Amino acid sequence: MKLWNVGALVLVGILTGCAPPELEALPAGPEAALDSQSQALSYPNGSSRTVVSRRVVYKNASGGYQAAAGFEQFRAAGASDGTLHTIRIAQVEAPSVREAIVFMTAGQKISSSGHSSGVTGQSSNWDASCDGVSCANVVLDGRSLAMKLHALGWFPPGRTHLSVVNDNNFDHLFDSDTKQRIVNGFVHWLQAQVRPETRSIYLAGSSRGGCLVMRIAQALRANTALDGINVYVSSLDGVCRNSQGELGTFDTKVNNPVRPWGTFYGAWATNLSAQFPRRDRLHMYQVVGGQEVAPATGIRAFSGYAGATPPSTGSHLDWGWYKQTWVKWQHKEIGNPYTDPSTSEQPLAVSETIDAQLTWLDGLL
């Protein structure tokens, strides 16, 4: 197979979560058992919303690139116009008074078609109406994390800035410098949304979006000007590139203790305490499965660990500021539990992913 095709397969797998079973030997014994965890609550669906998703850099009538009004921070951060042209953000609610900022992102997208997301609520053909400037009529499913949270009203209605990133173009294969410039663009844009009355920032993402929100949180928590703001982060099988040390990941795999029989699901270890030395008002939750996104690529989610060295097999974690639970679901099922698991399994998958994140957030708010 040509190298380009291999890369395309890897990236499509990351973005859409479409990954075949891992091509590894059977484990030596049955899956490990964990102590039972508190059951996630069920939360009602919200209403579907139709939004316009704008490119942060668009093409003008002459075909030249231009920074979109309100998104100038992305271009100023230095990523190429071609890279930024792919990033599309819908500002669902943008009131002048902003007690809270809510930011949701889907995973990476690389194929010519879109992909569905249980975080943002976008369908697989969300980008069908896109042109060089924006994407009209993007529907956000009421079952999504974004629309459920909006309906619950936990962050002040009419005083919360809500944005949904349909395509973050946070490509797994980009070099570290390009990734950092993309992160800086998002960070600077989010910081520009902060107002004197802002007290909470909530970030959520799946797959590469999960890695992105963790990295954004690093920068926000390092900014002492935001010390009075609570930062909440939801990651669903967040994927960071271990070969680059992204988010401190390295080549030690922590095995998933509830992995399906015949698989080697696991996640790349990272010392998250070292990654987040300033943890006041910081709250993070990673739901992790750790299925290899495409066979023999080493592309997996991350796992925090405690102690001097990572354990060979993980366990549920709750350090107060960081929580992590392991699930049996495939990468794509974690990213969209409403469509990818079998019909009979969908309620449990939703409970252990989307609703588990809401249960966690509910307990904090």
Side-chain angles (χ1 to χ4, degrees):
M1 182 180 290
K2 293 181 179 179
L3 180 59
W4 183 92
N5 289 334
V6 173
L9 171 63
V10 170
L11 290 173
V12 170
I14 297 167
L15 303 177
T16 65
C18 297
E22 294 182 288
L23 302 180
E24 301 187 49
L26 291 175
E31 64 186 35
L34 290 177
D35 293 334
S36 60
Q37 296 289 299
S38 57
Q39 196 74 12
L41 302 177
S42 296
Y43 292 91
N45 297 332
S47 300
S48 296
R49 294 283 297 270
T50 301
V51 297
V52 175
S53 191
R54 299 167 56 210
R55 297 183 185 271
V56 301
V57 166
Y58 68 93
K59 288 186 177 181
N60 59 30
S62 302
Y65 288 114
Q66 186 170 329
F71 291 121
E72 294 87 355
Q73 296 83 4
F74 287 89
R75 204 179 198 196
S80 69
D81 286 333
T83 297
L84 297 175
H85 182 62
T86 305
I87 298 175
R88 283 157 284 189
I89 302 175
Q91 289 179 281
V92 182
E93 303 280 355
S96 56
V97 176
R98 299 172 183 179
E99 294 182 18
I101 295 170
V102 175
F103 172 94
M104 304 268 191
T105 177
Q108 185 185 329
K109 172 187 176 294
I110 193 65
S111 64
S112 58
S113 62
H115 65 287
S116 59
S117 170
V119 174
T120 65
Q122 65 198 47
S123 67
S124 60
N125 66 342
W126 69 269
D127 58 350
S129 64
C130 294
D131 57 27
V133 177
S134 62
C135 311
N137 302 317
V138 176
V139 177
L140 308 180
D141 194 313
R143 299 173 298 173
S144 64
L145 179 60
M147 293 298 97
K148 278 189 168 186
L149 182 61
H150 182 263
L152 287 166
W154 293 345
F155 295 108
R159 299 189 300 278
T160 295
H161 183 279
L162 170 60
S163 58
V164 165
V165 183
N166 303 111
D167 189 348
N168 57 46
N169 201 28
F170 195 49
D171 194 313
H172 187 267
L173 298 183
F174 280 163
D175 61 80
S176 295
D177 180 67
T178 298
K179 287 178 180 175
Q180 188 62 61
R181 292 172 187 271
I182 293 171
V183 170
N184 291 346
F186 277 107
V187 170
H188 296 161
W189 179 71
L190 280 168
Q191 288 178 160
Q193 311 314 313
V194 173
R195 300 292 183 267
E197 67 274 9
T198 302
R199 292 295 173 263
S200 301
I201 297 175
Y202 176 55
L203 313 169
S206 65
S207 190
R208 283 295 294 165
C211 186
L212 176 60
V213 295
M214 294 290 285
R215 293 189 59 180
I216 290 172
Q218 279 184 308
L220 295 180
R221 200 67 301 167
N223 183 352
T224 57
L226 305 179
D227 279 357
I229 296 176
N230 291 303
V231 177
Y232 307 93
V233 185
S234 289
S235 174
L236 291 98
D237 217 36
V239 172
C240 297
R241 190 172 180 182
N242 63 304
S243 62
Q244 292 176 333
E246 192 174 19
L247 196 68
T249 54
F250 57 94
D251 293 338
T252 294
K253 189 180 74 163
V254 179
N255 290 317
N256 180 341
V258 297
R259 64 190 184 274
W261 176 252
T263 70
F264 266 52
Y265 292 7
W268 295 123
T270 176
N271 183 343
L272 286 177
S273 295
Q275 294 297 305
F276 293 91
R278 305 185 77 245
R279 299 189 288 273
D280 288 345
R281 296 181 180 268
L282 177 65
H283 311 275
M284 316 184 87
Y285 181 20
Q286 158 89 326
V287 174
V288 58
Q291 179 197 27
E292 194 173 30
V293 176
T297 61
I299 300 173
R300 301 177 180 276
F302 65 83
S303 170
Y305 68 92
T309 58
S312 60
T313 299
S315 61
H316 296 318
L317 303 174
D318 194 341
W319 303 338
W321 65 276
Y322 178 74
K323 180 177 180 178
Q324 178 175 298
T325 54
W326 294 90
V327 295
K328 68 177 184 179
W329 310 108
Q330 297 177 22
H331 184 69
K332 65 179 182 179
E333 294 171 335
I334 298 171
N336 195 349
Y338 296 105
T339 60
D340 287 290
S342 65
T343 301
S344 63
E345 296 252 61
Q346 285 175 14
L348 181 59
V350 171
S351 174
E352 293 183 347
T353 57
I354 300 297
D355 283 355
Q357 291 284 359
L358 289 171
T359 299
W360 165 78
L361 188 61
D362 194 358
L364 293 171
L365 298 178

